[in-house]
Amino acid sequence: MSDQPYCRQIAEHEPLHGTAPEGVQRWLLVEDADPWGPKPPRDSALPQAVKGWLAARSSEPGVRVQLIRCGESQRRGGAGRGTQPRQVFVVDAGVDAKARRILGARLELDAIPDLRLDDPSLSAHGFEAVAGPLWLVCTHGKRDRCCAKWGVELWERVRARVDAPARVWQSSHLGGHRFAPVAAALPTGLMWGRVEVGEVDTLIEGIAAGQVPLLPKLRGRCCHPRPLQAAEALLRRREALNEDDALSLLASRGDLVTYTTPAGTGQTTIRRTPGRPTLASCGDEGLQPRAHFELAPA
């Protein structure tokens, strides 16, 4: 396998827009600094009751479960390992920007399976509002070697450049190893791929300013289905709509997307176009067909 090309290298021609996880309204993040296998939380050292609870949550519509860790806690061998309490975040990241929020608490492991994701239960377990953004960078090398090769360096860079390094986490698989390194900013739900370390300042400063930065690397906003992710990315690039609130996607019917900008309401058609095959992951034996999205001419 070491002689094979990385899946990222084979997929460098593949457009990024419209490739993020779709339909994610709520993120559930649980700290786990013990080693991860290929498919956590199943392949992790978490207690079986916690694994079962996380599996049940991930099966709920619109919920995405991620294990997260901080490199420092992993090296210390203390926080986030074994029976130690874990940082848990519940992030609402849906279409309604006013409803987006981050709630966080430090929980004993045996308290996690008793948690319900409604406000009374979250309050009873000590969850409080957390200032954003939370940054996630996929470093999940046991899932795909591209995520370790490119992800760790990106995580280190983001952590070194933000004002609050404790809000920057290594994450389990975020989807799309071939787009490594992958980063997400919560609660916006925005996700990028192939982020270079030299682009980190642009990313951080843009989010802090209420913008959607690094549009050429934007995979999508995870609350949307993939055609709408692509529509948002492509419309923002075409119309130079960098402010986050400068574009709202109102509705879609088939290929037709209705949206609003400061100039008013408009419509566009998003088309799916066949692309060149790529590997889905390092080590795969065969290429898989791909498609990408295009806007109809303005």
Side-chain angles (χ1 to χ4, degrees):
M1 180 171 163
S2 60
D3 294 332
Q4 294 179 345
Y6 289 91
C7 63
R8 166 182 157 144
Q9 295 169 325
I10 294 176
E12 285 181 346
H13 64 275
E14 187 176 351
L16 289 164
H17 46 265
T19 65
E22 57 186 339
V24 182
Q25 308 296 317
R26 172 168 280 182
W27 297 70
L28 177 58
L29 315 176
V30 177
E31 182 184 17
D32 181 37
D34 285 313
W36 303 334
K39 293 188 176 182
R42 182 196 69 187
D43 300 334
S44 73
L46 291 169
Q48 197 60 46
V50 176
K51 292 181 184 180
W53 184 82
L54 290 173
R57 300 293 77 72
S58 70
S59 69
E60 295 175 359
V63 176
R64 186 173 180 91
V65 173
Q66 301 288 151
L67 297 188
I68 58 174
R69 62 190 176 198
C70 168
E72 289 183 2
S73 67
Q74 197 173 23
R75 287 191 293 269
R76 288 198 307 267
R81 303 194 71 173
T83 60
Q84 294 296 314
R86 308 300 174 96
Q87 182 66 49
V88 179
F89 295 104
V90 177
V91 183
D92 291 322
V95 175
D96 183 0
K98 294 180 180 178
R100 293 174 190 155
R101 63 178 184 174
I102 304 170
L103 300 176
R106 197 154 194 85
L107 300 181
E108 299 290 339
L109 270 175
D110 59 6
I112 293 177
D114 297 328
L115 182 65
R116 297 189 308 276
L117 300 185
D118 57 71
D119 282 357
S121 179
L122 294 173
S123 178
H125 282 82
F127 279 79
E128 296 180 345
V130 175
L134 287 181
W135 292 96
L136 303 182
V137 179
C138 183
T139 60
H140 193 174
K142 288 291 180 66
R143 183 67 176 266
D144 190 277
R145 58 182 181 156
C146 286
C147 301
K149 179 176 175 61
W150 281 281
V152 173
E153 183 182 17
L154 180 65
W155 171 78
E156 291 174 342
R157 180 67 173 177
V158 175
R159 189 173 169 84
R161 301 298 291 175
V162 297
D163 293 332
R167 297 180 194 154
V168 184
W169 295 86
Q170 297 184 17
S171 173
S172 59
H173 179 56
L174 285 172
H177 345 277
R178 65 190 187 278
F179 305 125
V182 172
L186 302 179
T188 67
L190 295 167
M191 183 176 289
W192 299 264
R194 301 190 196 117
V195 181
E196 303 295 338
V197 292
E199 297 170 325
V200 164
D201 286 354
T202 298
L203 202 60
I204 294 170
E205 292 167 5
I207 289 294
Q211 298 177 343
V212 179
L214 214 60
L215 288 174
K217 302 292 183 73
L218 182 64
R219 294 181 60 191
R221 196 183 300 266
C222 296
C223 61
H224 293 313
R226 284 178 177 150
L228 286 186
Q229 292 177 12
E232 177 177 13
L234 293 169
L235 280 167
R236 286 185 178 278
R237 292 184 70 177
R238 189 179 76 185
E239 308 295 336
L241 300 170
N242 295 315
E243 299 300 320
D244 198 347
D245 61 2
L247 174 67
S248 296
L249 302 176
L250 298 180
S252 63
R253 178 180 297 177
D255 296 337
L256 186 66
V257 176
T258 304
Y259 61 91
T260 62
T261 71
T265 300
Q267 290 185 322
T268 190
T269 300
I270 187 81
R271 298 170 177 167
R272 190 185 297 265
T273 303
R276 290 163 51 188
T278 68
L279 291 176
S281 185
C282 291
D284 285 359
E285 294 184 359
L287 300 179
Q288 295 187 13
R290 300 293 171 194
H292 62 269
F293 298 97
E294 295 178 347
L295 289 182

